[in-house]
């Protein structure tokens, strides 16, 4: 009997398919090729972070605005720099950068630092106008930067006047482009003050204050305060600084200006004890600036220097010196701060201590001398008091006080067994050369400085001739101070 074999329904034998095998081979080879390309960097893995920043210009600008309001000036500058790096054609970013760069110059100590920062601000402002020639705010900020560059401590009178003329033109151009631009009106008033057109400045700032948006603009109240303090209306100026502080409560520059006005009021009171409460109010403003800096992590020496100057006027030189030493902890290579410490030592009759500080300020110092210039007996690396190289300040109308005070101390402390007259005579000669070369800068003080120079030279001459020196309790010179209430709005 023939029986058909069972159909392999459930036990079908595997069979090879040449097409399927070819497909697998192609897929394997493709995978190997893709891995090789990934290793070479030709193909990027999915979901990998992009190597370039994806933040928008607006986000950087907003970050800069926030940092400015928080009082973090350097962080604000960094954010605005990032904004213009991402979009170099963004005029708003360049204008905001120029404004904060201009303000930031007030937190710098030396004239060289201020000059460099203000030139950076001027370059940024010009870039903003170049990109947006019809933008009123760009022209207003350029006027602001030009005005702060017009500083007689930085440039000759001819250069200053050129800056002021251009600043006035830019301010007027800003108002022509937008007659409702309150900021441009305020900056114009500030320029008029620096042109010594006080009545016109007062009129213009009143017009700015009458605008609807004036109450919310820190710059308007700051400029009004500047106009008032120039007119010696210090109480009213303080009120305006307080209004500006309300708008920007973390902007320490405003506290320094208000405190400086209180100190000016105190100095006008003939009785020291009667003036003391006013001095103490001044110190409160400076202390607020210190506290704000501590909260936001900013190591700014300016508030401590303002505190030092106030205590120095009160005759409390020990605490004044301690605040200058704190400022040096922030900037241990800043020659100007060494000079201020040396003057305080001089006024407190610590003549020996003043020598090291004044040497660092004038001709520079390094090694152990730099630590002695900070008021230490030697360097203490374990405590963070390390030797540093301090560059000397060139002699100028702003630094000559350090030179003639240094020369006066050296000559007065010279004795046959400790003769410092070689260095003293060199210093006095440098002072003479400066007075002869730039006589126009010393029209009001040349005779006083020359009296100090001649007194020091007379002492050294007596010592050279072997004469008996007079019994001196200290140098005959009177050391000066650098005022932080000047014609320019910088503390």
């Amino acid at each position: 009997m023939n029986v058909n074999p069972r159909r392999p329904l459930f036990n079908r034998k595997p069979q090879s398919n040449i097409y399927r095998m070819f497909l697998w081979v192609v897929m394997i080879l493709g995978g190997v090729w893709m891995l090789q390309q990934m290793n070479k960097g030709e193909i990027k893995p999915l979901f990998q972070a992009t190597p370039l920043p994806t933040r928008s210009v607006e986000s950087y600008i907003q970050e800069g605005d926030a940092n400015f309001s928080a009082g973090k000036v350097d962080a604000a500058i960094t954010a605005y720099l990032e904004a213009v790096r991402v979009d170099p054609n963004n005029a708003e970013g360049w204008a905001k950068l120029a404004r904060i760069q201009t303000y930031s110059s007030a937190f710098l100590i030396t004239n060289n630092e201020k000059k460099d920062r203000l030139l950076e601000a001027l370059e940024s402002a010009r870039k903003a106008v170049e990109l947006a020639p019809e933008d009123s705010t760009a022209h207003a900020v350029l006027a602001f930067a030009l005005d702060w560059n017009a500083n007689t401590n930085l440039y000759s009178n001819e250069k200053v006047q050129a800056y002021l003329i251009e600043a006035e033109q830019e301010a007027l151009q800003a108002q022509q482009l937008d007659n409702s631009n309150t900021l441009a009106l305020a900056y114009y008033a500030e320029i008029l003050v620096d042109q010594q057109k006080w009545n016109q400045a007062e009129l213009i700032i009143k017009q700015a204050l009458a605008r609807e948006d004036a109450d919310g603009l820190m710059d308007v109240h700051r400029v009004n305060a500047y106009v008032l303090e120039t007119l010696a209306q210090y109480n009213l100026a303080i009120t305006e600084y307080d209004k500006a502080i309300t708008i920007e409560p973390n902007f320490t520059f405003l506290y320094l200006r208000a405190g400086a006005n209180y100190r000016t009021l105190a100095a006008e009171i003939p009785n020291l004890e009667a003036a003391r409460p006013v001095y103490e109010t001044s110190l409160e403003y400076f202390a607020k600036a210190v506290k704000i800096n501590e909260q936001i992590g900013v190591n700014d020496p300016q508030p401590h220097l303002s505190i030092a100057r106030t205590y120095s006027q009160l005759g409390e030189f020990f605490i004044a010196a301690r605040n200058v030493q704190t400022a040096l902890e922030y900037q241990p290579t800043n020659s100007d701060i060494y000079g201020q410490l040396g003057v305080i030592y001089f006024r407190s009759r610590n003549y020996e201590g003043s020598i090291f500080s004044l040497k660092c300020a004038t001709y520079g110092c390094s090694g152990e001398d730099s630590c002695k210039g900070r008021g230490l007996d030697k360097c203490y690396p374990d405590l963070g008091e390390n030797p540093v190289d301090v560059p000397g300040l060139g002699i100028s109308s702003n630094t000559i006080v350090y030179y003639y005070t240094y020369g006066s101390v050296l000559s007065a402390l010279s004795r046959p067994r400790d003769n410092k007259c070689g260095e003293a005579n060199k210093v006095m000669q440098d002072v003479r050369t400066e007075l002869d070369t730039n006589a126009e800068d010393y029209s009001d003080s040349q005779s006083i400085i020359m009296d100090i120079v001649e007194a020091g030279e007379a002492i050294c001459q007596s010592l050279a001739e072997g004469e008996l020196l007079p019994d001196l309790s200290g140098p005959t010179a009177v050391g000066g101070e650098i005022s932080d209430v000047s014609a320019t709005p910088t503390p």
Side-chain angles (χ1 to χ4, degrees):
M1 180 171 100
N2 294 325
V3 180
N4 293 328
R6 298 179 61 187
R7 297 177 63 187
L9 295 176
F10 300 101
N11 58 348
R12 187 175 182 179
K13 294 181 180 181
Q15 297 179 357
S16 299
N17 189 318
I18 190 171
Y19 299 108
R20 186 183 296 115
M21 293 178 65
F22 177 76
L23 179 62
W24 279 109
V25 169
V26 171
M27 292 177 66
I28 292 171
L29 292 175
V32 171
W33 175 84
M34 184 173 292
L35 289 173
Q36 290 177 340
Q37 296 301 308
M38 289 175 64
N39 290 334
K40 294 179 180 180
E42 299 293 334
I43 297 178
K44 303 295 182 183
L46 293 176
F47 310 112
Q48 181 179 350
T50 58
L52 297 175
T54 56
R55 290 181 57 181
S56 65
V57 175
E58 288 74 16
S59 70
Y60 281 118
I61 291 177
Q62 290 173 2
E63 180 183 344
D65 294 343
N67 283 325
F68 179 81
S69 295
K72 300 178 180 179
V73 176
D74 290 339
I77 291 176
T78 300
Y80 293 135
L81 284 171
E82 283 298 302
V84 297
R85 183 189 64 81
V86 173
D87 183 6
N89 295 321
N90 189 289
E92 180 188 6
W94 284 108
K96 286 180 176 288
L97 174 60
R99 177 173 174 263
I100 189 61
Q101 285 174 325
T102 303
Y103 271 127
S104 69
S105 68
F107 298 94
L108 302 176
I109 305 297
T110 66
N111 286 332
N112 287 337
E113 292 175 319
K114 293 177 183 290
K115 184 177 181 179
D116 291 343
R117 182 60 59 82
L118 287 170
L119 286 175
E120 291 172 1
L122 190 56
E123 182 180 352
S124 299
R126 292 194 190 281
K127 184 67 175 178
V129 170
E130 177 187 339
L131 292 170
E134 301 301 318
D135 185 87
S136 174
T137 299
H139 285 277
V141 172
L142 177 55
F144 176 45
L146 285 163
D147 179 56
W148 276 44
N149 270 276
N151 188 334
T152 54
N153 292 327
L154 307 179
Y155 298 102
S156 65
N157 289 329
E158 183 179 358
K159 182 70 172 178
V160 167
Q161 292 306 314
Y163 273 140
L164 287 174
I165 291 172
E166 187 180 0
E168 183 178 16
Q169 292 172 347
E170 290 296 330
L172 293 173
Q173 177 70 11
Q175 294 173 63
Q176 290 177 0
L177 291 170
D178 182 2
N179 58 14
S180 65
N181 190 334
T182 307
L183 200 63
L185 204 59
Y187 290 153
Y188 181 42
E190 186 171 18
I191 295 164
L192 290 170
V193 171
D194 293 332
Q195 291 177 327
Q196 300 182 5
K197 300 176 182 178
W198 297 292
N199 292 334
Q200 190 177 352
E202 189 176 15
L203 177 64
I204 294 297
I205 195 60
K206 286 181 179 179
Q207 293 178 10
L209 288 166
R211 300 282 179 84
E212 292 183 0
D213 60 342
D215 287 341
L217 294 175
M218 178 273 289
D219 299 75
V220 174
H221 294 289
R222 178 193 64 78
V223 173
N224 189 32
Y226 178 49
V227 173
L228 291 167
E229 71 179 69
T230 305
L231 299 173
Q233 300 179 29
Y234 302 113
N235 282 308
L236 293 176
I238 291 168
T239 300
E240 284 301 295
Y241 279 124
D242 284 338
K243 291 179 181 179
I245 288 171
T246 301
I247 299 170
E248 295 290 354
N250 294 314
F251 194 29
T252 55
F253 165 76
L254 301 171
Y255 293 89
L256 300 183
R257 294 308 309 160
N261 276 269
Y262 269 114
R263 187 173 57 218
T264 302
L265 287 172
E268 293 179 346
I269 301 174
N271 184 284
L272 182 59
E273 289 307 312
R276 186 173 293 275
V278 186
Y279 277 118
E280 290 175 352
T281 303
S282 170
L283 290 169
E284 290 174 4
Y285 275 83
F286 301 142
K288 289 177 182 177
V290 171
K291 185 177 181 180
I292 291 171
N293 286 333
E294 290 175 348
Q295 291 173 342
I296 63 180
V298 173
N299 293 330
D300 179 15
Q302 280 285 11
H304 293 283
L305 295 176
S306 295
I307 292 172
R309 175 167 170 76
T310 304
Y311 277 116
S312 182
Q313 289 185 210
L314 283 167
E316 299 179 19
F317 299 109
F318 177 79
I319 191 169
R322 285 295 304 129
N323 274 277
V324 179
Q325 288 171 328
T326 300
L328 279 172
E329 291 176 6
Y330 297 152
Q331 295 185 3
T333 62
N334 192 308
S335 311
D336 193 81
I337 301 179
Y338 283 89
Q340 295 188 46
L341 181 59
V343 170
I344 289 175
Y345 281 154
F346 180 92
R347 296 192 64 205
S348 65
R349 299 181 180 275
N350 180 6
Y351 303 121
E352 290 82 0
S354 71
I355 287 178
F356 294 101
S357 301
L358 293 170
K359 177 185 177 183
C360 291
T362 52
Y363 298 100
C365 61
S366 60
E368 291 288 325
D369 283 352
S370 67
C371 294
K372 292 179 180 179
R374 299 197 291 272
L376 306 171
D377 57 345
K378 65 176 184 178
C379 294
Y380 295 93
D382 293 342
L383 300 178
E385 298 291 354
N386 298 306
V388 295
D389 294 329
V390 183
L393 291 168
I395 188 169
S396 68
S397 60
N398 297 298
T399 62
I400 196 170
V401 59
Y402 304 145
Y403 279 82
Y404 66 70
T405 306
Y406 181 40
S408 177
V409 173
L410 289 172
S411 59
L413 296 184
S414 291
R415 293 297 182 268
R417 294 184 179 181
D418 184 17
N419 194 330
K420 308 177 189 297
C421 280
E423 180 70 8
N425 286 328
K426 177 183 181 301
V427 177
M428 294 307 189
Q429 183 57 49
D430 288 344
V431 174
R432 281 182 175 275
T433 301
E434 170 65 13
L435 292 176
D436 292 339
T437 305
N438 301 296
E440 68 279 1
D441 295 335
Y442 302 96
S443 57
D444 297 330
S445 59
Q446 184 169 5
S447 61
I448 297 174
I449 297 174
M450 280 305 303
D451 287 344
I452 296 171
V453 170
E454 291 171 356
E457 291 173 339
I459 293 174
C460 286
Q461 182 65 28
S462 298
L463 185 61
E465 295 174 354
E467 297 180 4
L468 182 64
L469 293 174
D471 182 15
L472 297 175
S473 60
T476 56
V478 179
E481 289 183 294
I482 302 300
S483 172
D484 63 355
V485 182
S486 60
T488 54
T490 57

